[in-house]
């Protein structure tokens, strides 16, 4: 389903970059398979496309159907891995303009991923007096941004529908046994779905964390899981022909050759939030101990007219990974008898042909300018294709982290800003720290 073109790395990394890493790749693959590496307790995602909870999966589908029937709006509350995966898949499969389209499924809005007053007030205005439901996604229930948002929307539901009516419209995706949200959901009687103990947030899109909102949008989550399962089976076969091994080895070799930024590029505007999901996946997994490629993204061809200059002639610290999908349909460029724009040489040609040549020309220019290129090609965008790509990137990320000799499944650095924020907000127990921070400010 996926092809990988690494020919544009020639001259940038040693010819034996793959063979020289074969032993370490085999070790990394084994650690992922038997959960024995650093962070092994959080590698449940490796077999997830086959071993997922089938009963919960059915409940997700039933809950999605209930939300579709009962509500015109679903508010998904979460931050980081608790919302990026769902939004990525919905926008890639259904359009970035999903809420503007005529459809039978509810509008889906994402909240709790920031602290903007203006954004919150706008969202409340967009919901208006329409019937709505809430999916709160948090393992603990105490993460500041989603917890504040849930307070607000829970109160709105209870005011609109009463306490009993509100509980029929709140769906809690949280820890299976403990935590503030788990306790509240048990007490109030919300329908609950599980954030698995052995799957970290940024790897959780194929759990209830992502699947419930995705299903509400009308995506066939069975096909999504089927594509991921195909990737799982294919990538479990080790060896130098394994595409994940090839990509992980290339990334590691480029990093060791001095490339510090990986630029993910796509020529489809609906890929934007998939790139945001990818950035969290790789940034949190590799960026520690003073190591790791910095994950960035661009949308071509638009960003060729803004970032293209830097990519072409700026500091030579990056390489590109380009994701290319086959087009679903066809549009032919019309003829203009006056030929005002001088483009009649394109008359009668498919727009996809023009896009293809733009991509090929860009790759050649960037490689000539010192930017190595990896090309990932896939069939037309579908649920199974997206499921495959999700798993491919997750698996490569696990291999890459182990090649870097870091734990790809923790994120200790994320806690630093939280402690400072709690102190400055006056959270009990942080009084001494607050005085110290105020002095610095």
């Amino acid at each position: 389903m996926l092809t990988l073109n690494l020919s544009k790395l020639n001259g940038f990394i040693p010819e034996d970059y793959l063979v020289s890493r074969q032993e370490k790749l085999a070790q990394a693959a084994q650690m992922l398979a038997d959960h024995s590496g650093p962070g092994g307790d959080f590698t449940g995602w490796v077999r997830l496309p086959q071993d997922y909870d089938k009963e919960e999966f059915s409940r997700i589908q039933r809950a999605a159907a209930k939300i579709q029937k009962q509500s015109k709006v679903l508010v998904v509350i979460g931050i980081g891995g608790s919302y990026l995966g769902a939004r990525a898949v919905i926008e890639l499969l259904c359009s970035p303009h999903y809420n503007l389209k005529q459809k039978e499924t509810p509008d889906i809005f994402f909240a709790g991923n920031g602290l903007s007053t203006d954004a919150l007030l706008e969202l409340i205005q967009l919901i208006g007096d329409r019937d709505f439901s809430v999916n709160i996604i948090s393992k603990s229930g105490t993460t500041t941004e989603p917890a504040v948002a849930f307070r607000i929307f829970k109160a709105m539901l209870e005011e609109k529908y009463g306490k009993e009516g509100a509980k029929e419209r709140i769906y809690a995706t949280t820890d299976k046994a403990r935590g503030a949200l788990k306790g509240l959901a048990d007490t109030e009687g919300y329908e609950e779905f599980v954030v698995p103990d052995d799957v970290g947030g940024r790897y959780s899109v194929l759990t209830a964390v992502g699947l419930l909102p995705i299903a509400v949008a009308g995506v066939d989550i069975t096909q999504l899981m089927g594509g991921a399962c195909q990737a799982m089976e294919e990538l479990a076969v080790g060896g130098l022909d394994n595409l994940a091994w090839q990509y992980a080895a290339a990334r590691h070799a480029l990093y060791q050759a001095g490339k510090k930024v990986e630029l993910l590029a796509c020529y489809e505007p609906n890929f934007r939030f998939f790139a945001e999901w990818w950035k969290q996946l790789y940034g949190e997994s590799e960026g520690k101990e003073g190591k790791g490629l910095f994950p960035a993204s661009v949308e071509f061809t638009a960003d060729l007219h803004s970032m293209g200059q830097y990519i072409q002639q700026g500091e030579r610290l990056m390489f590109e990974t380009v994701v290319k999908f086959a087009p679903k349909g066809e549009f032919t460029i019309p003829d203009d008898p006056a030929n005002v724009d001088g483009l009649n040489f394109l008359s009668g040609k498919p727009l996809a042909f023009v896009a293809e040549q733009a991509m090929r020309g860009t790759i050649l220019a960037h490689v000539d300018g010192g930017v190595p290129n990896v090309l990932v090609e896939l069939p037309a965008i579908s649920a199974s294709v997206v499921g495959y790509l999700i798993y491919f990137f997750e698996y490569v990320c696990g291999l890459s982290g182990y090649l870097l000799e870091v734990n790809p499944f923790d994120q200790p650095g994320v806690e630093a800003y939280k402690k400072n924020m709690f102190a400055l907000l006056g959270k009990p127990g942080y009084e001494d720290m607050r005085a110290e921070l105020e002095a610095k400010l």
Side-chain angles (χ1 to χ4, degrees):
M1 184 182 292
L2 180 150
T3 61
L4 192 65
N5 186 338
L6 301 170
S7 64
K8 297 299 185 290
L9 302 182
N10 294 341
F12 292 100
I13 53 178
E15 291 184 6
D16 68 344
Y17 74 91
L18 180 56
V19 173
S20 64
R21 289 168 175 78
Q22 183 174 4
E23 183 177 349
K24 287 188 175 181
L25 284 163
Q27 293 171 352
Q30 187 61 47
M31 288 191 288
L32 290 177
D34 60 20
H35 318 293
S36 61
D41 290 344
F42 291 94
T43 51
W45 57 271
V46 175
R47 298 288 305 172
L48 182 69
Q50 180 173 298
D51 297 343
Y52 64 90
D53 185 332
K54 309 303 190 294
E55 187 279 328
E56 183 179 65
F57 191 84
S58 295
R59 283 202 304 114
I60 289 169
Q61 292 173 310
R62 291 195 297 271
K66 178 183 173 184
I67 294 168
Q68 290 169 344
K69 182 178 180 180
Q70 193 179 49
S71 295
K72 295 296 183 182
V73 174
L74 173 66
V75 179
V76 180
I77 299 174
I79 195 166
S82 294
Y83 98 99
L84 280 172
R87 186 164 184 178
V89 173
I90 291 169
E91 292 205 3
L92 185 53
L93 286 170
C94 303
S95 167
H97 310 297
Y98 167 81
N99 287 344
L100 299 178
K101 297 174 72 174
Q102 291 185 343
K103 58 192 182 303
E104 296 181 358
T105 52
D107 287 353
I108 298 177
F109 295 105
F110 294 89
N113 49 66
L115 294 168
S116 168
T117 301
D118 290 351
L120 173 68
L121 292 173
E122 180 185 48
L123 175 51
I124 292 171
Q125 185 179 39
L126 288 169
I127 296 170
D129 61 359
R130 292 185 290 172
D131 289 321
F132 73 101
S133 296
V134 167
N135 179 202
I136 169 65
I137 306 168
S138 176
K139 190 147 179 80
S140 66
T142 58
T143 303
T144 305
E145 296 93 333
V148 168
F150 184 52
R151 274 196 178 202
I152 293 165
F153 287 100
K154 176 175 175 286
M156 287 174 58
L157 283 171
E158 291 178 351
E159 181 179 353
K160 186 177 179 73
Y161 302 104
K163 203 169 182 65
E164 284 300 310
K167 79 176 186 180
E168 293 298 318
R169 294 173 174 273
I170 297 175
Y171 301 82
T173 306
T174 188
D175 192 271
K176 67 179 180 181
R178 58 188 178 274
L181 181 55
K182 168 64 177 173
L184 178 65
D186 287 348
T187 300
E188 299 292 337
Y190 305 150
E191 183 162 5
E192 299 176 38
F193 299 97
V194 174
V195 181
D197 287 339
D198 58 355
V199 179
R202 58 186 175 275
Y203 293 84
S204 67
V205 60
L206 297 177
T207 72
V209 170
L211 292 178
L212 179 56
I214 291 168
V216 171
V219 174
D220 188 334
I221 58 174
T222 299
Q223 289 189 13
L224 188 74
M225 295 298 284
C229 189
Q230 181 183 343
M232 180 196 76
E233 291 170 350
E234 291 178 4
L235 300 180
V237 180
L240 300 184
D241 292 331
N242 185 301
L243 297 183
W245 285 35
Q246 293 176 14
Y247 182 33
R251 296 179 75 252
H252 190 249
L254 287 161
Y255 177 68
Q256 290 194 326
K259 300 300 182 182
K260 302 304 180 185
V261 175
E262 181 173 13
L263 198 59
L264 187 70
C266 187
Y267 287 73
E268 299 295 338
N270 55 350
F271 192 77
R272 178 191 167 197
F273 260 90
F274 197 96
E276 295 299 315
W277 168 81
W278 174 89
K279 286 192 283 189
Q280 186 204 2
L281 178 66
Y282 281 82
E284 282 195 349
S285 296
E286 293 187 302
K288 53 200 70 166
E289 299 179 22
K291 302 176 184 177
L293 287 158
F294 182 83
S297 63
V298 286
E299 178 191 313
F300 289 160
T301 60
D303 283 340
L304 290 173
H305 298 263
S306 55
M307 296 301 296
Q309 172 61 41
Y310 188 95
I311 297 168
Q312 189 69 44
Q313 293 185 325
E315 191 170 351
R316 304 295 76 194
L317 48 67
M318 68 183 70
F319 71 95
E320 287 179 315
T321 294
V322 178
V323 177
K324 178 181 180 294
F325 298 98
K328 289 181 181 178
E330 186 173 302
F331 190 90
T332 301
I333 297 173
D335 186 67
D336 177 8
N339 196 24
V340 173
D341 53 19
L343 294 179
N344 270 359
F345 69 97
L346 297 177
S347 298
K349 290 185 170 59
L351 183 61
F353 169 79
V354 180
E356 174 81 12
Q357 306 321 310
M359 183 194 76
R360 294 174 70 195
T362 301
I363 289 173
L364 290 173
H366 288 178
V367 171
D368 286 346
V371 179
N373 181 275
V374 175
L375 179 60
V376 178
E377 296 187 84
L378 297 122
I381 298 169
S382 67
S384 59
V385 167
V386 173
Y388 192 105
L389 186 60
I390 287 169
Y391 190 89
F392 175 77
F393 276 135
E394 288 181 343
Y395 194 74
V396 169
C397 190
L399 294 177
S400 295
Y402 285 150
L403 285 180
L404 274 178
E405 298 182 348
V406 300
N407 179 350
F409 308 111
D410 67 356
Q411 53 281 339
V414 174
E415 300 304 314
Y417 94 90
K418 292 182 181 179
K419 292 177 182 178
N420 288 350
M421 181 177 65
F422 289 151
L424 293 169
L425 286 170
K427 184 174 182 178
Y430 288 80
E431 291 82 2
D432 292 343
M433 187 175 177
R434 179 180 184 180
E436 181 182 339
L437 292 174
E438 291 286 5
K440 289 183 179 180
L441 293 170

